[in-house]
Amino acid sequence: MNNIDKVKKAAINYYIYCNYRLCHFMNFMKSYAGVLLLAIIFIPGVSPVKGQSNANPVPQLGHNTIQEVIAAMTLEEKATLVVGAGRAPAPRNLPGVTIPGQTEIKVPGAAGNTAAIPRLGIPSMVLSDGPAGLRISPIRNGDSTIMYYATGFPVGTLLASTWDPALVEQVGKAFGNEVKEYGVDILLAPGINIHRNPLNGRNFEYYSEDPLIAGKMAAAIINGVQSNGVGTAVKHFAANNQETSRNSINTIVSERALRELYLRNFRIAINESNPWTVMSSYNKINGTYTAERKDLITTVLRDEWNYKGFVMTDWGGGRDWTAEMNAGNDLIMPGSPRQVQAIISAVKHDSISVKQLDMNVEHILNVVLKSPSFLKYRYSNKPDLKAHAEVAHKAATEGMVLLKNEANTLPFSKNIKVIAAFGNASYNTIAGGTGSGDVNKAYIISVYKGLANAGYAPDAGLETIYTQYFQQAKAQALAAAPVNGRRQQGPPPEMMATDDQITQKSKDCDIALITIGRNAGEGADRKLETNYNLTADEKQQIRKIAESFHSKGKKVVAVLNIGGVIDMNEWKDNIDAILLAWQPGQEAGYAIADILSGKVNPSGKLATTFPVQYTDVPSAKNFPGTPADKPAQVIYQEGIYIGYRYYDSFNIKPMYEFGYGLSYTDFSITDIKLSSDKFKGMVTATVNVKNIGHVAGKQVVQLYISAPAKTIDKPAQELKGFSKTRLLQPGESQPVTFSIREADLVSYHTDKSEWIADEGQYMVKIGASSRDIKQTATFKVGSKIVTETDHKVLQPLIAIDEYKPGTNK
Ligand code: BGC
């Protein structure tokens, strides 16, 4: 190369270098850092980090106090923060508002994000569903070589049936670890609404008809999840007990029913766990959307209960964003630019005070400060799914409820080897419900697989028949013309085995197992005829299988793979043993096989009643509301009498009562002792629980109180304590002690807004279920006790003709 060439090459290289630098410079300038640097260079007094020598440093979250940060925020920035940043937290560009944010979606599949305000060191937080496992996308950018699966834990109804908060806390720990390791800040769970009616499509997410169980379970899972340094959103606050007209239904409910049932679950959860956030609900309470009710969100939640976290709307909840801010509903989710503008304009027109908006901002920033995103946690995207699967498996076995066991059909005797597994759900086992409560898990262990894994020989011929049926059904669905532009998806209808197949299997197999599957979820309630009741085909199939197997001296077992209560009345007599497996998460088949084989002795108990028939349900006449074709309002006419509070007070015999569940062993509960027969602030009650059977097992001991109904009506009894024993070997005993406090005796007196325990005699009932009371004792309350006076709020606008024992129903 001659000198001229050398000069030319150097010139070209310099040109490329300059271009490269310019390009970088331009990119840099486009980025937020560039803008910031320019600001530092050209705008006097702007400096990004505290401690720089500049005269007017911009306060930074974490370095400065929250008050200093708020004082430095523009109105636009405040409005941006109180409105979610949508699913993809892109920069906000509105007329007059430009707030740079992060442009990439941090966690695909997350339900939402809060806005970032980089100028003040405020990062975006990621919010993700849901109650039975973290709901995120399993695949990113179409690359299936790396999968982002989350563990499918058992659903809420099953967790509640464990009656074991310590175990549920372990589930929460594992669950929360996935939240953290997948880069999520706040888990949108647990859902703790009360099982008012069995048709509610989301009951599977929720825990119980009883607020004590719901509150304790919620506290356990929240404590477990939050022990990882991530947040939860206890939801849906409050009285959100149906999916029909879910975004607009007006719930008309008495103050007493609210206080004693629909708020009490939240109160217990908040007292005992302190969730970082609360999600208000979609429904109205007595005429006003919950998110817009200051009396609910500020007076009750913050003033009476001393709640310190922030409150967010459900996704698109409520209508009036100004009212939401003023109510103390701090964050509007998922958020839209229109809402930011609306908040700005409301402040400019004095509909929201700056003080109020600052308070909303403060509540959010308090939580941002402890979030993994703020703390720059380097998440791995690799939680220990294997270890968590074991937690899911254990919890699943602990929450299954043995409902029926004629002549010791279960556990399977040594002679049982070849099993005829009928029912779609034996093969397509249902891990959990649908909607935002669904989880993208790596697999579901079917009942068939669980049995095979446990050393049984589930009939392979039947498996082939079912598999072919599923394939055909799928092909048919794909071939069918789309309805309203959509392909019809969803599980195929129940396959009906032919008479010949049933007869053949009753010859070839040692026992029949029928898995009855039901699914439901967000957006729709269950249909009475086809989801709560078994279909005519299903009932006929059960009858035929039972006839054929029984005629050969062989037994029939049913496994209920369901998320909520179903009808049992019309078919259960055909069956020898019934295991309520609920929707047990991804390890379903393993857990079911553990119980059927006797490897694990069932110890779950019902946290929700199975009535004899749907018409017995106290809310049946008032669900899902009126007018029937498109309900606008629902009246909680049953008042405080839901679940066992109703069946026990109105002498209605349930099919399986609250607290019920069988074991492979027997227990005695004896020797009740009260610390005193006079109540002075507290009484303790102790009993002795003994395993008097032949295999090891756990017993759930339940304490109910019957209070005198002097000044107002009272339920016949109410659950006030429960305790699950350790695994007791045959002959082994364990003392169990309960503390009964003033708060356990009081009822809400609407006229004075007071919680009062009348003087008189109280009966303590300790037993194995609400209707299997083994020990009783009484104590006296010498004079009326008032534990607290609440605000007169949330009143119904119309009179409710509530049910009262001894009068109407
Ligand atoms: C549900 C919430 C859920 C939210 C975000 C809403 O439709 O009601 O439970 O957390 O969506 O997915």
Side-chain angles (χ1 to χ4, degrees), residues 385-408:
L385 297 180
K386 245 190 169 160
H388 299 169
E390 276 172 33
V391 177
H393 180 171
K394 173 147 203 301
T397 55
E398 293 279 320
M400 291 186 184
V401 186
L402 183 62
L403 295 177
K404 179 174 179 179
N405 196 14
E406 292 292 307
N408 296 329

Short mmCIF file of all heavy atoms in Angstrom, two decimals, residues 385-408:
data_model
loop_
_atom_site.label_atom_id
_atom_site.label_comp_id
_atom_site.label_asym_id
_atom_site.label_seq_id
_atom_site.Cartn_x
_atom_site.Cartn_y
_atom_site.Cartn_z
N LEU A 385 -38.33 -25.43 40.20
CA LEU A 385 -39.66 -25.98 39.93
C LEU A 385 -39.82 -27.39 40.49
O LEU A 385 -40.92 -27.81 40.84
CB LEU A 385 -39.95 -25.96 38.42
CG LEU A 385 -40.00 -24.57 37.77
CD1 LEU A 385 -40.29 -24.68 36.29
CD2 LEU A 385 -41.05 -23.68 38.43
N LYS A 386 -38.72 -28.12 40.55
CA LYS A 386 -38.79 -29.49 41.08
C LYS A 386 -39.17 -29.47 42.56
O LYS A 386 -40.04 -30.21 43.00
CB LYS A 386 -37.42 -30.16 40.92
CG LYS A 386 -37.47 -31.32 39.97
CD LYS A 386 -36.18 -32.06 40.05
CE LYS A 386 -36.41 -33.35 39.29
NZ LYS A 386 -35.17 -33.94 38.88
N ALA A 387 -38.49 -28.62 43.30
CA ALA A 387 -38.78 -28.52 44.74
C ALA A 387 -40.21 -28.04 44.95
O ALA A 387 -40.93 -28.52 45.83
CB ALA A 387 -37.79 -27.58 45.41
N HIS A 388 -40.65 -27.10 44.12
CA HIS A 388 -42.00 -26.54 44.28
C HIS A 388 -43.07 -27.56 43.91
O HIS A 388 -44.17 -27.56 44.46
CB HIS A 388 -42.15 -25.26 43.48
CG HIS A 388 -41.17 -24.20 43.92
ND1 HIS A 388 -40.96 -23.05 43.23
CD2 HIS A 388 -40.36 -24.13 45.02
CE1 HIS A 388 -40.04 -22.31 43.86
NE2 HIS A 388 -39.67 -22.96 44.95
N ALA A 389 -42.74 -28.44 42.97
CA ALA A 389 -43.69 -29.50 42.60
C ALA A 389 -43.95 -30.39 43.82
O ALA A 389 -45.07 -30.85 44.05
CB ALA A 389 -43.14 -30.33 41.45
N GLU A 390 -42.92 -30.59 44.61
CA GLU A 390 -43.11 -31.42 45.82
C GLU A 390 -44.03 -30.73 46.82
O GLU A 390 -44.85 -31.36 47.47
CB GLU A 390 -41.77 -31.72 46.47
CG GLU A 390 -41.11 -32.91 45.82
CD GLU A 390 -39.70 -33.13 46.30
OE1 GLU A 390 -39.40 -32.84 47.47
OE2 GLU A 390 -38.90 -33.59 45.46
N VAL A 391 -43.88 -29.41 46.93
CA VAL A 391 -44.76 -28.66 47.84
C VAL A 391 -46.20 -28.76 47.34
O VAL A 391 -47.14 -28.99 48.12
CB VAL A 391 -44.32 -27.17 47.91
CG1 VAL A 391 -45.27 -26.37 48.78
CG2 VAL A 391 -42.89 -27.05 48.41
N ALA A 392 -46.37 -28.61 46.02
CA ALA A 392 -47.72 -28.69 45.43
C ALA A 392 -48.32 -30.08 45.66
O ALA A 392 -49.50 -30.22 46.00
CB ALA A 392 -47.65 -28.39 43.94
N HIS A 393 -47.50 -31.09 45.51
CA HIS A 393 -47.94 -32.48 45.70
C HIS A 393 -48.39 -32.70 47.14
O HIS A 393 -49.48 -33.22 47.41
CB HIS A 393 -46.75 -33.39 45.33
CG HIS A 393 -47.01 -34.85 45.47
ND1 HIS A 393 -46.14 -35.82 45.03
CD2 HIS A 393 -48.03 -35.55 46.03
CE1 HIS A 393 -46.62 -37.01 45.27
NE2 HIS A 393 -47.75 -36.88 45.90
N LYS A 394 -47.59 -32.27 48.08
CA LYS A 394 -47.92 -32.48 49.50
C LYS A 394 -49.21 -31.75 49.86
O LYS A 394 -50.12 -32.32 50.49
CB LYS A 394 -46.77 -31.98 50.38
CG LYS A 394 -47.05 -32.00 51.86
CD LYS A 394 -45.81 -32.30 52.66
CE LYS A 394 -46.07 -32.86 54.03
NZ LYS A 394 -46.82 -32.10 54.94
N ALA A 395 -49.29 -30.49 49.45
CA ALA A 395 -50.50 -29.71 49.78
C ALA A 395 -51.73 -30.39 49.19
O ALA A 395 -52.79 -30.45 49.82
CB ALA A 395 -50.35 -28.29 49.26
N ALA A 396 -51.59 -30.91 47.97
CA ALA A 396 -52.73 -31.54 47.30
C ALA A 396 -53.24 -32.73 48.11
O ALA A 396 -54.45 -32.88 48.32
CB ALA A 396 -52.33 -31.98 45.89
N THR A 397 -52.35 -33.54 48.61
CA THR A 397 -52.81 -34.72 49.37
C THR A 397 -53.47 -34.29 50.68
O THR A 397 -54.41 -34.94 51.14
CB THR A 397 -51.66 -35.70 49.72
OG1 THR A 397 -50.65 -34.98 50.41
CG2 THR A 397 -51.08 -36.34 48.48
N GLU A 398 -52.99 -33.19 51.24
CA GLU A 398 -53.51 -32.76 52.55
C GLU A 398 -54.89 -32.11 52.47
O GLU A 398 -55.58 -31.98 53.47
CB GLU A 398 -52.55 -31.76 53.20
CG GLU A 398 -51.21 -32.36 53.58
CD GLU A 398 -51.25 -33.09 54.91
OE1 GLU A 398 -51.91 -32.61 55.85
OE2 GLU A 398 -50.61 -34.16 55.00
N GLY A 399 -55.27 -31.67 51.26
CA GLY A 399 -56.55 -30.97 51.14
C GLY A 399 -57.64 -31.81 50.48
O GLY A 399 -58.74 -31.31 50.28
N MET A 400 -57.34 -33.05 50.16
CA MET A 400 -58.39 -33.89 49.55
C MET A 400 -59.28 -34.43 50.67
O MET A 400 -58.82 -34.74 51.76
CB MET A 400 -57.76 -35.03 48.77
CG MET A 400 -57.06 -34.50 47.54
SD MET A 400 -56.43 -35.79 46.49
CE MET A 400 -55.59 -34.78 45.27
N VAL A 401 -60.58 -34.54 50.35
CA VAL A 401 -61.55 -34.89 51.39
C VAL A 401 -62.22 -36.21 51.02
O VAL A 401 -62.80 -36.33 49.93
CB VAL A 401 -62.63 -33.78 51.51
CG1 VAL A 401 -63.56 -34.08 52.69
CG2 VAL A 401 -61.99 -32.41 51.68
N LEU A 402 -62.13 -37.16 51.91
CA LEU A 402 -62.80 -38.45 51.69
C LEU A 402 -64.25 -38.28 52.14
O LEU A 402 -64.53 -38.06 53.32
CB LEU A 402 -62.10 -39.54 52.50
CG LEU A 402 -62.65 -40.95 52.31
CD1 LEU A 402 -62.51 -41.42 50.87
CD2 LEU A 402 -61.93 -41.94 53.25
N LEU A 403 -65.18 -38.35 51.17
CA LEU A 403 -66.59 -38.07 51.49
C LEU A 403 -67.35 -39.33 51.86
O LEU A 403 -68.28 -39.29 52.66
CB LEU A 403 -67.27 -37.38 50.29
CG LEU A 403 -66.75 -35.99 49.90
CD1 LEU A 403 -67.48 -35.48 48.66
CD2 LEU A 403 -66.92 -35.00 51.05
N LYS A 404 -66.99 -40.42 51.25
CA LYS A 404 -67.76 -41.65 51.48
C LYS A 404 -66.79 -42.83 51.39
O LYS A 404 -65.90 -42.82 50.54
CB LYS A 404 -68.84 -41.75 50.39
CG LYS A 404 -69.70 -43.00 50.49
CD LYS A 404 -70.84 -42.98 49.48
CE LYS A 404 -71.64 -44.28 49.63
NZ LYS A 404 -72.78 -44.33 48.72
N ASN A 405 -67.00 -43.82 52.23
CA ASN A 405 -66.10 -44.99 52.18
C ASN A 405 -66.82 -46.22 52.74
O ASN A 405 -66.54 -46.67 53.85
CB ASN A 405 -64.81 -44.70 52.95
CG ASN A 405 -63.71 -45.67 52.61
OD1 ASN A 405 -63.81 -46.42 51.63
ND2 ASN A 405 -62.65 -45.69 53.42
N GLU A 406 -67.77 -46.75 51.96
CA GLU A 406 -68.54 -47.92 52.39
C GLU A 406 -67.61 -49.13 52.50
O GLU A 406 -66.81 -49.38 51.59
CB GLU A 406 -69.62 -48.25 51.35
CG GLU A 406 -70.73 -47.22 51.24
CD GLU A 406 -71.60 -47.16 52.48
OE1 GLU A 406 -72.10 -48.22 52.88
OE2 GLU A 406 -71.75 -46.06 53.05
N ALA A 407 -67.79 -49.86 53.56
CA ALA A 407 -67.10 -51.15 53.75
C ALA A 407 -65.60 -51.07 53.42
O ALA A 407 -65.04 -51.95 52.76
CB ALA A 407 -67.77 -52.22 52.87
N ASN A 408 -64.99 -49.98 53.87
CA ASN A 408 -63.55 -49.80 53.67
C ASN A 408 -63.11 -50.06 52.23
O ASN A 408 -62.11 -50.75 51.99
CB ASN A 408 -62.75 -50.71 54.62
CG ASN A 408 -62.98 -50.33 56.06
OD1 ASN A 408 -63.21 -49.16 56.36
ND2 ASN A 408 -62.97 -51.32 56.95
#
